[in-house]
Amino acid sequence: MSEPILECLEIGKRFGTTPVLSRIDLRLQIGRVTALMGENGAGKSTLLNIIAGLIAPTTGELRIDGEPVREFTPSAGQAHGIQIVTQELSLVPHLTVADNIFLGRELTAGSKHVGYLQSRRMFDEAQAAIDAFGVPINARDRVEQISLSYAQIVEIIRAYHRRPRILLLDEPTSSLTSNETQHLFDIVDKLRADGTTVVFTTHKMDEVERMADDIAVLRDGEITLKAAARDLSSAEVVNAMVGRKLAEQRLVLPEVADVPPVLAVEHYATRAADGGADTAFDFAIRPGEIIGLAGIAGAGRTAFLKSVYGLHPARQGRVRLAGADYADRSPSRSLARGLIYIPESRKEAGLVLSQGIAANAILANLGRFSGIAGWLKTSREHDVTREALEALRTKYESTRASVAQLSGGNQQKALVARCLIADDPKVLLLDEPTRGIDVGAKADIYEIIVELARHGVAIVVSSSELPELMTLSHRIAVFKDGFIARTFERDAFQEADIVRTAIGA
Amino acid sequence: MSTAPTSTQKPSDDAATAARRPAFFNRQRLASLVVWIAFACYVIPLAIAQPQFISFYNIISILMLISVYALIGFGEGVVVLSGGIDLSVGSIVGLAGVVAAVILTGHSGVGWCLVAIAGGVLAGLLIGAFNGIAVALLNIPSFVATLGTLSIALGVGYVFSAGQQISIDNDPFLNISINAYFGIPIPIYIMFIVFLLLWLVLSKTRFGRYIYAVGGNIQAAFVAGLPIRRVLISAFVISGGLSGLAGVLLAAQITAGIASTGSGYELTAIAAPVIGGISLAGGRGSIAGALFGVILLGTIDNGLTILNVSPFYQHIIRGFIIILAVFLDTIASRRKLV
Ligand SMILES: Nc1ncnc2c1ncn2[C@@H]1O[C@H](COP(=O)(O)OP(=O)(O)OP(=O)(O)O)[C@@H](O)[C@H]1O
Ligand SMILES: [Mg+2]
């Protein structure tokens, strides 16, 4: 074995009185790719953040090139050649893509103190780096104008462009589509060949098989498994993660009764078609049915769900809910009629980060928890929240703690908990409900979705993970350029066909 | 005021905008034009009805009137861009004037004049540094920290002046607001020089970029390794220093140091950048907006005076204009609450 470039020696971390990491020993070798695995809240992000210098450990020592690290700041980490792509987006929305790529590393002319920006050069270099990645992003666009997955790519390009010695990627693929994920893997291959050390986290086993040289598994803040990837089976990894044997999941989808649809969308469009072609589409879902929405980034799934829920107006078409025309759509009317939407971006649209977990979980159902004059029945609020969170295996301290303190995947669970708390839901619109959720809890969420369907709830699930849609749905509607290009029945699910429809090949 | 717009253009999965080149007449440009057009709709009829309104003399007097507001508006603009707010600017104006007046008491000559200027500016820098430290190192929200220094600076001004108006008779000092080159008094030059410097710093230098980054997303700025505390402190120091300078100029104009002269100026100082399109949520806008904002407010005040509108009504009209200007900007840039 070669010299370790980085060593964690008995690293421990507590937030207040909550221990999060204890006695972590980990060695990273030059030019090797390590997958850091673990359930939601196991401490993966915390460990990566310590290595990058975003937070300081409570105990233990971090060594780089054999030298102990004394200063835990992002700039000290960068000075050691460490770059991190954090789990949550770390870009400045009002600045351009190029500005963000060069943030903190601006190209300047003149004396060091004046720091006159060479904007032209930065744009050109940024654009070149983007083009090399093969995505249609304009370096002059502001980050707030580009999609979530492109923003994620910008962050990856930023880290890569700085030629790190150690690159930390915290769930880099959670908002990427498979095509972009492929690009990322190619880059990691190149980095590995150049001797860069890479650590990444993911909840997708196939990515681990494709990328990892080494695997380290965290459970409840301790390392439970550390080995070369080729010596491990995925069952062993999963066992080390969850500490129990995961039963082979056999989802039995309920039969869909032949009744009229509860939600029907007719001659619908959310955007103008290219060249004025009529691309309006119809969509209908019956009680107890689960329909998956597939498509590449920008295919229009989110826009469709949002407009049905009433967040955006649709361009044309009408919506019928439970047989009645539903033209004056708005979130509050949708909720009143049992039409619930769980958004894809938990930070921007989903959660009120400063608020407590329970307050967030019941946000859409405050009516049910308030009595005379809107007085909140708080004890019930907490009981119900606890029940829902338990069902999703959420790791949390108290329902009163603020959501910001939850790990990424547990925040997602607090968001998904809303559909368990909802009063008599009729239609659920779930946009990427399992983003960032660990394998164990994913299986639980599938069970819950199927169970809800069995009780007659109609469920629309949008997901960029095709296998997930294929296990879960009665039908899959494939979006392309803003409309439904084709619908597949369960007995005709063919991954290759669906992908081909999605990319329009 | 609209603090919500920053996150309205959420990244969504239907962002087909990615490959588009910035057009010359994009919404952004159009948005900044709308307020100018509204401005022209006010100025042109007025100038036709009352030609004296656009006389050289009147334009100079408008610029004189706004030079003090402009300096504190610029400083406020920097703080707002960095994601904070500075309520202490008005008190600093008064304090700096008092400090200058106290220094000049019984002293004549150019030397003491320079000392007085330096003293006034230094007082502002110190209060600004205090604000910056409270915000960046002690984690006190800027609204609260500067609300505190608003009171502190005012109190210190009263203590230094014993609650009295201290008149100034140092000739070089008084000449600051009297002497003119090419018919233009010194404060107007100072205003434009400060504007140019700040514009250069904010749009062309690394430090300026950091101000925008910290104001736009402080967490991202931290992860990128920016010296966020230093950036925040610098923003408040700039604001304090410029307010101190404004106080010195004002003292020269009114030939006295009075602790309470600047009370209420913070409203104009905040309104100006906001009218000019600087987002109160931080990270968005240009310092040119702050200049435009004071010009707009100054011109309107002056116009109303020429039209003989009572000062009582001027307050009311001014308030509506602030709201209207921001409203126009909101429509033009299609910002929404959510
Ligand atoms: N600032 C904080 N204050 C209190 N607790 C925190 C804080 N940050 C994280 N935690 C807790 O530390 C634990 C580990 O969090 P971490 O984000 O490292 O998990 P993770 O393994 O990355 O999970 P995920 O897969 O969901 O991203 C969680 O239980 C979380 O609640
Ligand atoms: Mg994490």
Side-chain angles (χ1 to χ4, degrees), chain A residues 289-369:
Chain A
E289 193 172 21
I290 304 172
I291 297 186
L293 305 186
I296 60 170
R301 292 171 295 165
T302 296
F304 170 64
L305 295 178
K306 280 185 175 171
S307 72
V308 169
Y309 181 60
L311 281 168
H312 299 319
R315 260 191 92 80
Q316 65 171 68
R318 48 187 220 148
V319 174
R320 298 173 66 78
L321 187 61
D325 223 13
Y326 181 26
D328 54 345
R329 294 190 296 283
S330 77
S332 59
R333 288 192 196 100
S334 293
L335 287 172
R337 294 174 195 203
L339 174 66
I340 296 167
Y341 168 66
I342 304 285
E344 65 170 339
S345 59
R346 48 182 180 255
K347 282 261 158 102
E348 283 86 22
L351 297 165
V352 186
L353 285 180
S354 56
Q355 287 274 324
I357 298 169
N360 266 286
I362 67 158
L363 190 60
N365 295 284
L366 284 176
R368 186 175 151 203
F369 294 94

Side-chain angles (χ1 to χ4, degrees), chain A residues 54 74-75 78 84 86 90-95 99 103-104 106 108 112 114-117 136-138 140-142 144-148 150 158 271 297-303 306 344 348, chain B residues 5-7 9-22 28 200 202-207 209-210 212-217 219-226 279 282-284 336:
Chain A
L54 304 188
S75 41
Q78 294 188 12
I84 185 167
T86 52
S90 297
L91 297 173
V92 183
H94 308 313
L95 293 184
D99 291 341
L103 191 60
E106 291 79 7
T108 54
K112 190 168 161 286
V114 176
Y116 189 85
L117 296 173
I137 301 174
N138 186 338
R140 286 171 197 270
D141 275 341
R142 279 174 288 114
E144 63 196 353
Q145 296 172 304
I146 67 178
S147 72
L148 188 64
Y150 282 169
R158 167 164 83 180
R271 65 167 93 141
R301 292 171 295 165
T302 296
K306 280 185 175 171
E344 65 170 339
E348 283 86 22
Chain B
T6 54
S7 60
Q9 290 169 299
K10 245 152 265 151
S12 73
D13 98 337
D14 50 349
T17 48
R20 215 183 291 148
R21 291 257 143 214
Q28 210 76 36
L200 277 174
L202 285 171
S203 59
K204 302 288 176 193
T205 72
R206 176 170 35 206
F207 172 71
R209 182 58 45 79
Y210 288 1
Y212 280 94
V214 167
N217 181 351
Q219 179 66 26
F222 172 71
V223 172
L226 306 195
S279 159
R284 201 171 54 94
K336 287 200 221 132

Side-chain angles (χ1 to χ4, degrees), chain A residues 15 18 20 38-47 87 170-171 203 395 405-410 436:
Chain A
F15 288 108
T18 321
V20 173
E39 290 189 288
N40 296 134
K44 305 179 293 295
S45 299
T46 307
L47 182 57
Q87 186 168 4
D170 198 353
E171 291 192 31
H203 293 292
K395 189 174 168 194
Q405 292 182 4
L406 293 178
S407 77
N410 286 313

Side-chain angles (χ1 to χ4, degrees), chain A residues 131-332:
Chain A
D131 293 344
F133 199 94
V135 280
I137 301 174
N138 186 338
R140 286 171 197 270
D141 275 341
R142 279 174 288 114
V143 161
E144 63 196 353
Q145 296 172 304
I146 67 178
S147 72
L148 188 64
S149 64
Y150 282 169
Q152 178 73 30
I153 292 171
V154 168
E155 271 212 74
I156 292 168
I157 290 173
R158 167 164 83 180
Y160 170 62
H161 185 255
R162 296 178 178 195
R163 317 219 178 297
R165 294 166 66 215
I166 303 176
L167 177 62
L168 311 174
L169 302 167
D170 198 353
E171 291 192 31
T173 61
S174 66
S175 44
L176 299 189
T177 54
S178 56
N179 213 1
E180 296 152 353
T181 304
Q182 211 46 54
H183 280 299
L184 173 62
F185 290 168
D186 294 344
I187 283 190
V188 172
D189 282 336
K190 206 154 89 200
L191 284 170
R192 169 171 27 211
D194 295 346
T196 308
T197 305
V198 179
V199 185
F200 73 104
T201 67
T202 182
H203 293 292
K204 300 173 193 165
M205 291 309 293
D206 54 330
E207 295 181 355
V208 178
E209 273 157 38
R210 161 78 173 78
M211 290 315 301
D213 300 313
D214 298 308
I215 293 179
V217 176
L218 272 175
R219 184 169 80 231
D220 290 338
E222 289 180 47
I223 297 229
T224 51
L225 182 70
K226 227 174 359 182
R230 61 171 181 283
D231 302 335
L232 292 172
S233 71
S234 61
E236 280 173 294
V237 175
V238 172
N239 283 349
M241 275 167 59
V242 300
R244 64 194 145 91
K245 271 221 150 52
L246 272 194
E248 183 69 24
Q249 195 178 21
R250 292 197 42 113
L251 278 182
V252 185
L253 298 192
E255 286 290 316
V256 181
D258 196 10
V259 292
V262 52
L263 175 75
V265 164
E266 289 154 19
H267 210 71
Y268 204 75
T270 54
R271 65 167 93 141
D274 293 333
D278 183 17
T279 53
F281 59 91
D282 297 339
F283 176 90
I285 185 166
R286 286 172 291 178
E289 193 172 21
I290 304 172
I291 297 186
L293 305 186
I296 60 170
R301 292 171 295 165
T302 296
F304 170 64
L305 295 178
K306 280 185 175 171
S307 72
V308 169
Y309 181 60
L311 281 168
H312 299 319
R315 260 191 92 80
Q316 65 171 68
R318 48 187 220 148
V319 174
R320 298 173 66 78
L321 187 61
D325 223 13
Y326 181 26
D328 54 345
R329 294 190 296 283
S330 77
S332 59

